[in-house]
């Protein structure tokens, strides 16, 4: 398995990489390549921090490889004719597939929840993996989903749906404190497990930070509390530019347990990374 | 100072004059959220409307005369296991270990009075070294600096906004 970054002639950051792989024939057809490539994608995006796009080139006749890439979420972009010489013959290169780190950032948006989001909301809010570190319980029915949207999400000062092509795949919530403390707010978020590892939470948080500081002019500080074992969320926050301030022992009560939490903050003067 | 003379008890209306002597002092109220008291009437109202109904506010007394206060603000609903500690003492009693002693007494009382309490926290302005020393001596552990944590008296330069806060914590010794 190789993930190779391309160097551009200027000294711009390396944003693009190409993935290639092969597997011993005796192990074909067992889902091994899919699992391996999935791990490589995650690691590749973690190690090459400026990486935004991963691409793969596949010969037209290599249907198996095309299936692998499509299952992993690669999008076929086109057919490159007479693109390459493969073992002595000029070949059309079947597909350029690509795996965009942020799902083409223009496809991700933040907007208020709507009652019509109920089905999409139920898909991810019913997943224990997604709600594990949240204070609210997994949603189990469409009625609960509707009730939650109408009674909690819509009246909330700032709870927005993270949307992919206008379908809800998660949420970001910013809640200012009351009274004298409205200069301070608390942020929380979740993304559908199906879309983990693609920079969506990061992008949503960046958008949220930029917007809330404009919408709440007296806001000075946004803080986030993260459980010690939730490394994924810690990385997201750090990459967006949140600063870890300390470990608050036995601070948070979540789903019946009192837990230690890291406290992070992002100030109005901090830079979105 | 004989520390046996330091006691904690609920406030009484008759504490009004003594309360004025420290709560009317800008030096003392500088790091507090509440405004400096200016008249005896304000002191009486403050005792009646704020101190007495409070879930846990005690007068720090020497010979049963109020020289300061300790307050514990419990969290609500999901935060019941947590509470915030606040305190102040008349300037003439500073630097004599009185505050530390009072806090130690308060801590042991409040953990007994609140069976759900697991975590007691206190905030001290980064520049308020005296308060930090009190907390450390009383057994609090510094957990971090919270940047631009909050407004105090609308003054951006002074405390909280533009000034970080240290969060100190004391855990219930029984539950550890």
């Amino acid at each position: 398995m190789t993930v190779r970054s391309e160097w551009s002639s200027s000294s711009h950051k390396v944003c693009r990489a190409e993935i290639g792989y092969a597997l011993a024939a005796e192990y074909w057809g067992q889902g091994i390549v899919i699992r391996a490539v999935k791990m490589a994608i995650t690691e590749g995006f973690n190690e090459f921090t400026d990486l935004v796009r991963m691409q793969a080139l596949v010969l037209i006749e290599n249907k198996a490889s095309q299936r692998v890439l499509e299952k992993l979420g690669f999008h076929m972009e086109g057919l490159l004719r007479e693109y390459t010489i493969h073992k002595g013959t000029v070949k059309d290169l079947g597909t350029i597939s690509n795996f965009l780190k942020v799902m083409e950032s223009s496809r991700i948006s933040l907007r208020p929840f709507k009652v019509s989001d109920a089905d999409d909301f139920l898909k991810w809010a019913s997943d224990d993996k997604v709600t594990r570190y949240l204070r609210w319980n997994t949603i189990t029915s469409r009625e609960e989903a509707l009730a939650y949207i109408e009674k909690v999400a819509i009246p909330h000062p700032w709870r927005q749906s993270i949307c992919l092509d206008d379908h809800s795949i998660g949420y970001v919530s910013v809640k200012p404190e009351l009274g004298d403390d409205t200069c301070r707010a608390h942020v929380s978020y979740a993304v559908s497990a199906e879309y983990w590892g693609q920079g969506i939470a990061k992008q949503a948080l960046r958008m949220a930070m930029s917007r809330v500081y404009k919408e709440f002019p007296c806001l000075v500080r946004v803080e986030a509390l993260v459980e010690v074992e939730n490394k994924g969320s810690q990385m997201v926050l750090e990459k967006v530019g949140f600063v870890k301030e300390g470990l608050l022992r036995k601070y948070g009560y979540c789903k019946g347990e009192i837990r230690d939490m890291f406290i992070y903050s992002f100030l109005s003067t901090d830079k979105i990374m | 100072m004989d520390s046996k003379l330091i006691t904690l008890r609920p406030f009484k209306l008759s504490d009004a004059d003594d309360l004025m002597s420290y709560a009317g002092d800008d030096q003392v109220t500088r790091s507090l959220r509440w405004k400096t008291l200016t008249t005896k009437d304000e002191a009486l109202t403050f005792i009646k409307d704020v101190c007495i109904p409070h879930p846990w506010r005690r007068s720090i007394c020497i010979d049963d005369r109020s020289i300061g206060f300790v307050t514990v603000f419990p969290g609500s609903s999901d935060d019941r296991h947590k509470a915030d500690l606040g305190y102040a003492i008349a300037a003439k009693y500073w630097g004599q270990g009185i505050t530390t002693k009072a806090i130690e007494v308060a801590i042991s009382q409040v953990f007994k009075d609140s069976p759900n309490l697991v975590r007691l926290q206190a905030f001290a302005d980064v520049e308020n070294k005296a308060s930090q020393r009190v907390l450390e001596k009383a057994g609090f552990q510094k957990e971090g600096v919270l940047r631009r944590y909050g407004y105090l008296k609308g003054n951006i330069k002074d405390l909280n906004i533009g000034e970080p806060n240290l969060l100190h914590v004391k855990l219930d010794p029984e539950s550890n």
Side-chain angles (χ1 to χ4, degrees):
Chain A
M1 171 100 46
T2 321
V3 173
R4 192 185 72 230
S5 307
E6 293 191 25
W7 301 106
S8 57
S9 48
S10 64
S11 55
H12 285 323
K13 293 177 197 171
V14 175
C15 62
R16 194 168 67 234
E18 187 167 311
I19 188 164
Y21 55 85
L23 184 75
E26 71 183 278
Y27 296 104
W28 291 1
Q30 297 172 44
I32 293 175
V33 171
I34 287 186
R35 289 206 295 275
V37 173
K38 194 170 191 174
M39 292 189 322
I41 290 171
T42 310
E43 284 186 32
F45 278 120
N46 282 337
E47 274 187 48
F48 301 107
T49 46
D50 299 314
L51 200 57
V52 163
R53 172 191 170 88
M54 210 178 281
Q55 57 189 40
L57 303 171
V58 188
L59 289 173
I60 293 186
E61 55 262 34
N62 190 348
K63 304 285 182 209
S65 208
Q66 291 164 34
R67 268 197 307 275
V68 164
L69 293 168
E70 276 157 27
K71 278 201 193 150
L72 286 165
F74 278 72
H75 297 261
M76 173 167 25
E77 282 178 340
L79 169 67
L80 308 179
R81 298 171 303 151
E82 304 199 8
Y83 186 77
T84 188
I85 296 180
H86 180 76
K87 296 190 158 70
T89 322
V90 173
K91 293 257 181 172
D92 291 349
L93 212 60
T95 61
I96 286 189
S97 298
N98 80 81
F99 193 101
L100 286 180
K101 185 184 191 188
V102 293
M103 279 284 196
E104 285 175 56
S105 48
S106 57
R107 292 173 68 194
I108 298 288
S109 58
L110 290 188
R111 58 147 174 82
F113 274 95
K114 301 186 281 208
V115 165
S116 51
D117 287 326
D119 290 314
D120 290 330
F121 176 78
L122 181 61
K123 262 191 232 152
W124 55 265
S126 58
D127 184 350
D128 281 337
K129 288 200 299 292
V130 174
T131 63
R132 183 168 166 202
Y133 296 114
L134 302 178
R135 283 212 185 186
W136 40 281
N137 286 322
T138 316
I139 305 279
T140 53
S141 69
R142 194 167 190 275
E143 288 70 40
E144 271 186 56
L146 267 169
Y148 187 88
I149 292 178
E150 282 172 349
K151 302 209 174 91
V152 180
I154 288 176
H156 193 281
W158 207 95
R159 179 159 289 191
Q160 311 240 318
S161 169
I162 302 173
C163 290
L164 173 65
D165 300 331
D166 206 41
H167 282 287
S168 180
I169 59 160
Y171 84 97
V172 185
S173 179
V174 174
K175 192 169 194 188
E177 301 282 343
L178 302 168
D180 286 337
D181 295 325
T182 49
C183 59
R184 189 168 78 234
H186 178 86
V187 68
S188 66
Y189 60 89
V191 173
S192 166
E194 196 186 334
Y195 295 104
W196 287 0
Q198 297 176 39
I200 291 173
K202 267 182 271 190
Q203 189 183 346
L205 266 180
R206 286 187 196 111
M207 289 162 78
M209 286 306 103
S210 151
R211 285 190 204 177
V212 295
Y213 276 116
K214 287 198 189 90
E215 286 175 41
F216 299 102
C218 68
L219 192 62
V220 164
R221 171 186 172 89
V222 175
E223 49 186 37
L225 295 168
V226 190
E227 289 190 33
V228 168
E229 43 177 59
N230 190 353
K231 306 271 184 225
S233 207
Q234 291 161 33
M235 269 191 346
V236 166
L237 292 167
E238 282 162 23
K239 292 225 173 124
V240 171
F242 277 72
V243 173
K244 186 195 286 195
E245 291 173 339
L247 171 65
L248 308 184
R249 302 167 299 152
K250 302 205 183 182
Y251 189 80
Y253 183 78
C254 187
K255 299 197 161 105
E257 275 180 44
I258 296 176
R259 302 161 185 217
D260 294 350
M261 305 220 154
F262 284 120
I263 183 161
Y264 283 81
S265 69
F266 189 88
L267 304 184
S268 58
T269 47
D270 285 340
K271 292 274 183 305
I272 298 178
M273 283 165 41
Chain B
M1 173 79 51
D2 183 355
S3 60
K4 275 189 277 189
L5 294 168
I6 299 171
T7 53
L8 299 187
R9 60 155 173 77
F11 274 91
K12 302 185 282 203
L13 285 172
S14 51
D15 289 324
D17 287 316
D18 292 330
L19 179 68
M20 273 301 298
S21 72
Y22 57 86
D25 181 355
D26 280 335
Q27 253 193 100
V28 172
T29 60
R30 185 172 52 199
S31 1
L32 302 177
R33 286 218 174 183
W34 33 283
K35 286 209 296 264
T36 314
L37 298 179
T38 51
T39 67
K40 184 164 176 184
D41 272 340
E42 274 181 26
L44 279 165
T45 309
F46 188 73
I47 293 176
K48 189 162 67 86
D49 295 344
V50 180
C51 298
I52 290 176
H54 196 286
W56 210 97
R57 175 164 288 179
R58 300 283 182 267
S59 165
I60 301 173
C61 293
I62 287 181
D63 291 335
D64 204 45
R65 300 281 297 271
S66 181
I67 62 153
F69 76 89
V70 183
T71 313
V72 175
F73 299 87
S76 52
S77 60
D78 279 347
D79 295 326
R80 266 187 312 256
H81 66 289
K82 245 179 5 221
D84 285 333
L85 176 80
Y87 54 87
I89 206 163
K92 74 191 235 213
Y93 295 104
W94 289 1
Q96 299 168 44
I98 294 175
T99 316
T100 304
K101 179 69 196 173
I103 300 303
E104 283 170 351
V105 174
I107 291 169
S108 68
Q109 282 187 13
V110 83
F111 275 119
K112 281 201 196 83
D113 291 346
S114 327
N116 289 320
L117 189 63
V118 165
R119 173 186 168 91
L120 189 61
Q121 50 188 37
F123 294 84
D125 186 33
V126 158
E127 298 183 351
N128 192 346
K129 303 286 181 208
S131 204
Q132 292 163 37
R133 270 198 307 273
V134 164
L135 293 167
E136 277 157 28
K137 282 196 203 153
F140 279 75
Q141 277 184 46
K142 175 161 67 163
E143 286 181 338
V145 175
L146 307 182
R147 303 171 304 151
R148 294 180 140 223
Y149 191 70
Y151 270 106
L152 188 72
K153 298 191 156 103
N155 190 334
I156 287 177
K157 256 207 120 181
D158 206 23
L159 214 92
N160 306 347
I161 280 286
E163 297 288 339
N165 260 293
L166 289 171
L167 181 61
H168 288 70
V169 165
K170 174 97 179 171
L171 296 184
D172 183 351
E174 313 260 312
S175 73
N176 275 351

